[in-house]
Short mmCIF file of all heavy atoms in Angstrom, two decimals:
data_model
loop_
_atom_site.label_atom_id
_atom_site.label_comp_id
_atom_site.label_asym_id
_atom_site.label_seq_id
_atom_site.Cartn_x
_atom_site.Cartn_y
_atom_site.Cartn_z
N CYS R 498 1.85 -9.32 38.08
CA CYS R 498 1.86 -8.19 37.19
C CYS R 498 2.66 -8.54 35.98
O CYS R 498 3.88 -8.80 36.07
CB CYS R 498 2.41 -6.95 37.86
SG CYS R 498 2.35 -5.51 36.87
N VAL R 499 2.02 -8.53 34.84
CA VAL R 499 2.65 -8.83 33.54
C VAL R 499 2.88 -7.63 32.64
O VAL R 499 3.62 -7.63 31.67
CB VAL R 499 1.93 -9.94 32.77
CG1 VAL R 499 2.05 -11.30 33.43
CG2 VAL R 499 0.54 -9.54 32.47
N ALA R 500 2.06 -6.47 33.02
CA ALA R 500 2.25 -5.22 32.24
C ALA R 500 1.91 -4.05 33.17
O ALA R 500 0.72 -3.93 33.50
CB ALA R 500 1.29 -5.24 31.05
N PRO R 501 2.89 -3.30 33.59
CA PRO R 501 2.65 -2.20 34.44
C PRO R 501 1.90 -1.06 33.79
O PRO R 501 1.80 -0.85 32.57
CB PRO R 501 4.06 -1.75 34.75
CG PRO R 501 4.98 -2.87 34.50
CD PRO R 501 4.33 -3.54 33.35
N PHE R 502 1.21 -0.32 34.61
CA PHE R 502 0.55 0.94 34.18
C PHE R 502 1.47 1.84 33.47
O PHE R 502 2.62 2.02 33.84
CB PHE R 502 0.05 1.65 35.50
CG PHE R 502 -0.69 2.97 35.14
CD1 PHE R 502 -2.00 3.11 35.02
CD2 PHE R 502 0.07 4.16 35.11
CE1 PHE R 502 -2.67 4.27 34.76
CE2 PHE R 502 -0.54 5.41 34.94
CZ PHE R 502 -1.95 5.43 34.68
N GLY R 503 0.99 2.40 32.36
CA GLY R 503 1.84 3.36 31.62
C GLY R 503 2.79 2.65 30.58
O GLY R 503 3.44 3.42 29.84
N THR R 504 2.74 1.34 30.40
CA THR R 504 3.60 0.74 29.35
C THR R 504 3.14 1.22 28.07
O THR R 504 1.99 1.19 27.66
CB THR R 504 3.42 -0.85 29.44
OG1 THR R 504 3.69 -1.32 30.72
CG2 THR R 504 4.25 -1.46 28.46
N GLU R 505 4.12 1.69 27.27
CA GLU R 505 3.83 2.40 26.03
C GLU R 505 3.58 1.41 24.91
O GLU R 505 4.00 0.20 24.93
CB GLU R 505 5.01 3.24 25.53
CG GLU R 505 5.25 4.39 26.52
CD GLU R 505 4.32 5.59 26.35
OE1 GLU R 505 3.51 5.46 25.40
OE2 GLU R 505 4.27 6.51 27.20
N GLU R 506 2.79 1.80 23.90
CA GLU R 506 2.60 0.96 22.74
C GLU R 506 3.87 0.65 22.11
O GLU R 506 4.81 1.36 22.01
CB GLU R 506 1.67 1.73 21.66
CG GLU R 506 0.25 2.09 22.16
CD GLU R 506 0.19 3.35 22.95
OE1 GLU R 506 1.26 3.98 23.16
OE2 GLU R 506 -0.90 3.84 23.24
N GLY R 507 3.99 -0.56 21.49
CA GLY R 507 5.14 -1.09 20.83
C GLY R 507 6.14 -1.69 21.74
O GLY R 507 7.32 -2.03 21.38
N THR R 508 5.82 -1.79 23.10
CA THR R 508 6.70 -2.27 24.10
C THR R 508 6.45 -3.76 24.42
O THR R 508 5.27 -4.17 24.56
CB THR R 508 6.56 -1.44 25.42
OG1 THR R 508 6.82 -0.05 25.15
CG2 THR R 508 7.58 -1.94 26.47
N THR R 509 7.55 -4.53 24.60
CA THR R 509 7.44 -5.86 25.00
C THR R 509 8.06 -6.01 26.35
O THR R 509 9.25 -5.55 26.63
CB THR R 509 8.11 -6.82 24.01
OG1 THR R 509 7.42 -6.82 22.84
CG2 THR R 509 8.09 -8.27 24.60
N THR R 510 7.35 -6.51 27.36
CA THR R 510 7.84 -6.73 28.71
C THR R 510 7.89 -8.17 28.91
O THR R 510 7.12 -8.94 28.44
CB THR R 510 7.00 -6.00 29.78
OG1 THR R 510 5.59 -6.61 29.64
CG2 THR R 510 6.94 -4.55 29.58
N ALA R 511 8.93 -8.63 29.73
CA ALA R 511 9.09 -10.11 29.97
C ALA R 511 9.42 -10.36 31.38
O ALA R 511 10.17 -9.57 32.02
CB ALA R 511 10.06 -10.61 28.96
N ILE R 512 8.97 -11.46 31.88
CA ILE R 512 9.42 -11.94 33.21
C ILE R 512 10.31 -13.17 32.82
O ILE R 512 9.92 -14.34 32.79
CB ILE R 512 8.20 -12.38 34.03
CG1 ILE R 512 7.31 -11.16 34.22
CG2 ILE R 512 8.70 -12.88 35.44
CD1 ILE R 512 6.00 -11.54 34.97
N SER R 513 11.63 -12.89 32.69
CA SER R 513 12.51 -13.91 32.17
C SER R 513 13.36 -14.53 33.31
O SER R 513 14.07 -15.53 33.11
CB SER R 513 13.41 -13.37 31.02
OG SER R 513 14.15 -12.17 31.55
N ASP R 514 13.25 -13.97 34.50
CA ASP R 514 14.09 -14.37 35.62
C ASP R 514 13.36 -15.32 36.60
O ASP R 514 13.82 -15.59 37.57
CB ASP R 514 14.79 -13.26 36.32
CG ASP R 514 13.65 -12.33 36.93
OD1 ASP R 514 12.46 -12.49 36.52
OD2 ASP R 514 13.94 -11.42 37.72
N ARG R 515 12.16 -15.70 36.11
CA ARG R 515 11.38 -16.59 36.98
C ARG R 515 10.63 -17.57 36.03
O ARG R 515 10.05 -17.07 35.02
CB ARG R 515 10.37 -15.78 37.76
CG ARG R 515 9.52 -16.60 38.77
CD ARG R 515 8.70 -15.65 39.61
NE ARG R 515 7.81 -16.39 40.54
CZ ARG R 515 6.99 -15.88 41.34
NH1 ARG R 515 6.85 -14.52 41.39
NH2 ARG R 515 6.16 -16.59 42.11
N GLU R 516 10.60 -18.82 36.39
CA GLU R 516 9.91 -19.86 35.60
C GLU R 516 8.52 -20.20 36.30
O GLU R 516 8.33 -20.15 37.52
CB GLU R 516 10.67 -21.11 35.46
CG GLU R 516 11.85 -20.93 34.62
CD GLU R 516 12.59 -22.24 34.28
OE1 GLU R 516 12.21 -23.32 34.90
OE2 GLU R 516 13.52 -22.27 33.48
N PHE R 517 7.57 -20.58 35.35
CA PHE R 517 6.26 -21.01 35.76
C PHE R 517 6.01 -22.38 35.05
O PHE R 517 6.70 -22.68 34.09
CB PHE R 517 5.20 -19.97 35.42
CG PHE R 517 5.50 -18.62 35.94
CD1 PHE R 517 6.22 -17.73 35.31
CD2 PHE R 517 5.00 -18.25 37.19
CE1 PHE R 517 6.49 -16.41 35.77
CE2 PHE R 517 5.25 -16.94 37.74
CZ PHE R 517 6.03 -16.08 37.03
N VAL R 518 5.00 -23.00 35.49
CA VAL R 518 4.61 -24.30 34.87
C VAL R 518 3.33 -24.15 34.06
O VAL R 518 2.36 -23.62 34.62
CB VAL R 518 4.45 -25.35 36.06
CG1 VAL R 518 4.05 -26.74 35.36
CG2 VAL R 518 5.69 -25.53 36.84
N LEU R 519 3.41 -24.52 32.87
CA LEU R 519 2.34 -24.32 31.88
C LEU R 519 1.72 -25.77 31.47
O LEU R 519 2.57 -26.63 31.14
CB LEU R 519 2.78 -23.58 30.61
CG LEU R 519 1.69 -23.41 29.52
CD1 LEU R 519 0.68 -22.42 29.98
CD2 LEU R 519 2.38 -22.93 28.18
N LEU R 520 0.49 -25.91 31.62
CA LEU R 520 -0.15 -27.14 31.26
C LEU R 520 -0.54 -27.11 29.82
O LEU R 520 -1.32 -26.10 29.37
CB LEU R 520 -1.37 -27.35 32.19
CG LEU R 520 -2.14 -28.77 31.98
CD1 LEU R 520 -1.21 -29.85 32.49
CD2 LEU R 520 -3.44 -28.69 32.86
N VAL R 521 -0.16 -28.09 29.02
CA VAL R 521 -0.55 -28.03 27.57
C VAL R 521 -1.20 -29.43 27.29
O VAL R 521 -1.22 -30.45 28.05
CB VAL R 521 0.78 -27.96 26.73
CG1 VAL R 521 1.43 -26.58 26.92
CG2 VAL R 521 1.75 -29.12 26.90
N GLY R 522 -1.88 -29.49 26.17
CA GLY R 522 -2.46 -30.69 25.68
C GLY R 522 -3.89 -30.98 26.23
O GLY R 522 -4.50 -32.01 25.90
N GLU R 523 -4.32 -30.14 27.16
CA GLU R 523 -5.69 -30.30 27.77
C GLU R 523 -6.23 -29.00 28.12
O GLU R 523 -5.44 -28.02 28.29
CB GLU R 523 -5.71 -31.37 28.94
CG GLU R 523 -4.91 -30.94 30.14
CD GLU R 523 -4.96 -31.93 31.26
OE1 GLU R 523 -4.53 -33.08 30.99
OE2 GLU R 523 -5.43 -31.56 32.27
N SER R 524 -7.58 -28.91 28.34
CA SER R 524 -8.18 -27.61 28.56
C SER R 524 -7.67 -27.06 29.92
O SER R 524 -7.61 -27.69 30.89
CB SER R 524 -9.73 -27.85 28.73
OG SER R 524 -10.38 -26.59 28.97
N ALA R 525 -7.32 -25.73 29.86
CA ALA R 525 -6.87 -25.06 31.04
C ALA R 525 -7.38 -23.65 31.04
O ALA R 525 -7.76 -23.14 30.00
CB ALA R 525 -5.37 -25.00 31.03
N THR R 526 -7.50 -23.03 32.19
CA THR R 526 -8.08 -21.68 32.25
C THR R 526 -7.01 -20.79 32.81
O THR R 526 -6.16 -21.20 33.62
CB THR R 526 -9.36 -21.60 33.22
OG1 THR R 526 -8.97 -22.09 34.43
CG2 THR R 526 -10.41 -22.43 32.48
N PHE R 527 -7.00 -19.52 32.42
CA PHE R 527 -6.11 -18.50 32.92
C PHE R 527 -6.89 -17.25 33.30
O PHE R 527 -7.70 -16.80 32.48
CB PHE R 527 -5.10 -18.17 31.79
CG PHE R 527 -4.23 -19.27 31.26
CD1 PHE R 527 -4.84 -20.12 30.31
CD2 PHE R 527 -3.06 -19.63 31.76
CE1 PHE R 527 -4.10 -21.22 29.80
CE2 PHE R 527 -2.34 -20.69 31.23
CZ PHE R 527 -2.88 -21.50 30.36
N ASP R 528 -6.75 -16.82 34.44
CA ASP R 528 -7.44 -15.55 34.93
C ASP R 528 -6.65 -14.32 34.55
O ASP R 528 -5.43 -14.30 34.97
CB ASP R 528 -7.67 -15.61 36.50
CG ASP R 528 -8.58 -16.71 36.85
OD1 ASP R 528 -9.52 -17.03 36.18
OD2 ASP R 528 -8.39 -17.32 37.91
N PHE R 529 -7.28 -13.42 33.83
CA PHE R 529 -6.68 -12.21 33.45
C PHE R 529 -7.27 -11.05 34.22
O PHE R 529 -8.47 -10.96 34.32
CB PHE R 529 -6.89 -12.03 31.89
CG PHE R 529 -6.02 -10.96 31.34
CD1 PHE R 529 -4.64 -10.98 31.40
CD2 PHE R 529 -6.50 -9.84 30.57
CE1 PHE R 529 -3.83 -10.06 30.85
CE2 PHE R 529 -5.69 -8.90 30.00
CZ PHE R 529 -4.29 -8.97 30.12
N LEU R 530 -6.39 -10.24 34.84
CA LEU R 530 -6.95 -9.29 35.92
C LEU R 530 -6.31 -7.90 35.50
O LEU R 530 -5.41 -7.81 34.72
CB LEU R 530 -6.44 -9.68 37.32
CG LEU R 530 -6.50 -11.20 37.63
CD1 LEU R 530 -5.67 -11.53 38.83
CD2 LEU R 530 -7.89 -11.50 37.87
N GLY R 531 -6.98 -6.86 36.11
CA GLY R 531 -6.47 -5.52 35.86
C GLY R 531 -6.76 -4.65 37.08
O GLY R 531 -7.65 -4.94 37.89
N SER R 532 -6.04 -3.48 37.10
CA SER R 532 -6.19 -2.51 38.24
C SER R 532 -5.96 -1.12 37.77
O SER R 532 -4.94 -0.89 37.02
CB SER R 532 -5.32 -2.88 39.43
OG SER R 532 -5.41 -1.88 40.40
N THR R 533 -6.78 -0.23 38.07
CA THR R 533 -6.57 1.18 37.76
C THR R 533 -6.00 1.94 38.92
O THR R 533 -5.70 3.14 38.88
CB THR R 533 -7.88 1.87 37.27
OG1 THR R 533 -8.86 1.88 38.30
CG2 THR R 533 -8.36 1.31 36.03
N THR R 534 -5.86 1.29 40.11
CA THR R 534 -5.42 1.82 41.35
C THR R 534 -3.98 1.52 41.64
O THR R 534 -3.28 2.34 42.25
CB THR R 534 -6.28 1.50 42.49
OG1 THR R 534 -6.42 0.18 42.66
CG2 THR R 534 -7.78 2.08 42.29
N ARG R 535 -3.60 0.35 41.43
CA ARG R 535 -2.17 -0.16 41.66
C ARG R 535 -1.30 0.25 40.44
O ARG R 535 -1.05 -0.57 39.61
CB ARG R 535 -2.15 -1.63 41.92
CG ARG R 535 -2.94 -2.03 43.17
CD ARG R 535 -2.67 -3.55 43.38
NE ARG R 535 -1.22 -3.90 43.69
CZ ARG R 535 -0.79 -4.04 44.95
NH1 ARG R 535 -1.57 -3.88 46.08
NH2 ARG R 535 0.52 -4.26 45.20
N THR R 536 -0.97 1.53 40.47
CA THR R 536 -0.22 2.06 39.29
C THR R 536 1.29 2.01 39.49
O THR R 536 1.99 2.40 38.51
CB THR R 536 -0.63 3.54 38.98
OG1 THR R 536 -0.36 4.36 40.15
CG2 THR R 536 -2.15 3.57 38.65
N ASP R 537 1.75 1.55 40.52
CA ASP R 537 3.18 1.57 40.81
C ASP R 537 3.78 0.14 40.80
O ASP R 537 4.98 0.05 41.06
CB ASP R 537 3.53 2.32 42.15
CG ASP R 537 3.11 3.74 42.21
OD1 ASP R 537 3.26 4.39 41.17
OD2 ASP R 537 2.71 4.21 43.24
N ASP R 538 3.02 -0.86 40.51
CA ASP R 538 3.55 -2.29 40.61
C ASP R 538 4.43 -2.43 39.34
O ASP R 538 4.07 -2.33 38.27
CB ASP R 538 2.36 -3.32 40.49
CG ASP R 538 1.71 -3.40 41.78
OD1 ASP R 538 2.25 -2.90 42.82
OD2 ASP R 538 0.60 -3.97 41.86
N PRO R 539 5.77 -2.83 39.56
CA PRO R 539 6.62 -3.11 38.42
C PRO R 539 6.27 -4.47 37.96
O PRO R 539 5.60 -5.32 38.65
CB PRO R 539 8.01 -3.02 38.97
CG PRO R 539 7.82 -3.40 40.52
CD PRO R 539 6.51 -2.77 40.85
N ILE R 540 6.76 -4.88 36.76
CA ILE R 540 6.54 -6.12 36.18
C ILE R 540 7.12 -7.19 37.02
O ILE R 540 8.19 -7.09 37.66
CB ILE R 540 7.17 -6.22 34.74
CG1 ILE R 540 6.71 -7.56 34.17
CG2 ILE R 540 8.62 -5.97 34.80
CD1 ILE R 540 7.13 -7.71 32.65
N GLY R 541 6.39 -8.28 37.27
CA GLY R 541 6.89 -9.35 38.05
C GLY R 541 6.39 -9.30 39.47
O GLY R 541 6.52 -10.23 40.33
N THR R 542 5.70 -8.21 39.81
CA THR R 542 5.20 -8.07 41.22
C THR R 542 4.15 -9.13 41.41
O THR R 542 3.22 -9.32 40.62
CB THR R 542 4.53 -6.71 41.53
OG1 THR R 542 5.59 -5.75 41.22
CG2 THR R 542 3.89 -6.53 42.87
N VAL R 543 4.15 -9.82 42.61
CA VAL R 543 3.16 -10.82 42.97
C VAL R 543 2.36 -10.28 44.17
O VAL R 543 2.88 -9.85 45.15
CB VAL R 543 3.79 -12.20 43.33
CG1 VAL R 543 2.70 -13.16 43.91
CG2 VAL R 543 4.59 -12.70 42.22
N VAL R 544 1.04 -10.10 43.94
CA VAL R 544 0.15 -9.68 44.91
C VAL R 544 -0.70 -10.74 45.43
O VAL R 544 -1.44 -11.47 44.70
CB VAL R 544 -0.82 -8.52 44.36
CG1 VAL R 544 -1.69 -7.94 45.42
CG2 VAL R 544 0.08 -7.41 43.67
N GLU R 545 -0.56 -11.08 46.75
CA GLU R 545 -1.29 -12.25 47.34
C GLU R 545 -2.65 -11.92 47.66
O GLU R 545 -3.59 -12.72 47.47
CB GLU R 545 -0.49 -12.77 48.52
CG GLU R 545 0.94 -13.27 48.18
CD GLU R 545 1.59 -14.08 49.28
OE1 GLU R 545 0.90 -14.44 50.32
OE2 GLU R 545 2.81 -14.31 49.16
N ASP R 546 -2.85 -10.83 48.35
CA ASP R 546 -4.21 -10.48 48.74
C ASP R 546 -4.59 -9.17 47.88
O ASP R 546 -4.28 -8.12 48.17
CB ASP R 546 -4.28 -10.04 50.19
CG ASP R 546 -5.64 -9.67 50.69
OD1 ASP R 546 -6.68 -9.91 49.89
OD2 ASP R 546 -5.83 -9.22 51.87
N TRP R 547 -5.40 -9.49 46.81
CA TRP R 547 -5.70 -8.40 45.86
C TRP R 547 -7.16 -8.01 45.75
O TRP R 547 -7.53 -7.18 45.00
CB TRP R 547 -5.26 -8.84 44.51
CG TRP R 547 -5.60 -10.26 44.04
CD1 TRP R 547 -4.82 -11.26 44.16
CD2 TRP R 547 -6.76 -10.64 43.34
NE1 TRP R 547 -5.46 -12.42 43.63
CE2 TRP R 547 -6.69 -12.00 43.11
CE3 TRP R 547 -7.93 -9.92 42.81
CZ2 TRP R 547 -7.61 -12.68 42.43
CZ3 TRP R 547 -8.87 -10.68 42.24
CH2 TRP R 547 -8.70 -11.98 41.96
#
Side-chain angles (χ1 to χ4, degrees):
C498 182
V499 292
F502 177 92
T504 304
E505 296 283 351
E506 295 87 351
T508 301
T509 296
T510 58
I512 305 175
S513 54
D514 58 349
R515 182 176 177 183
E516 289 189 353
F517 304 90
V518 178
L519 178 70
L520 185 67
V521 299
E523 64 181 60
S524 180
T526 60
F527 304 84
D528 294 323
F529 195 56
L530 318 164
S532 175
T533 58
T534 57
R535 295 186 65 97
T536 57
D537 296 323
D538 286 347
I540 186 171
T542 299
V543 175
V544 185
E545 297 192 10
D546 183 9
W547 45 270

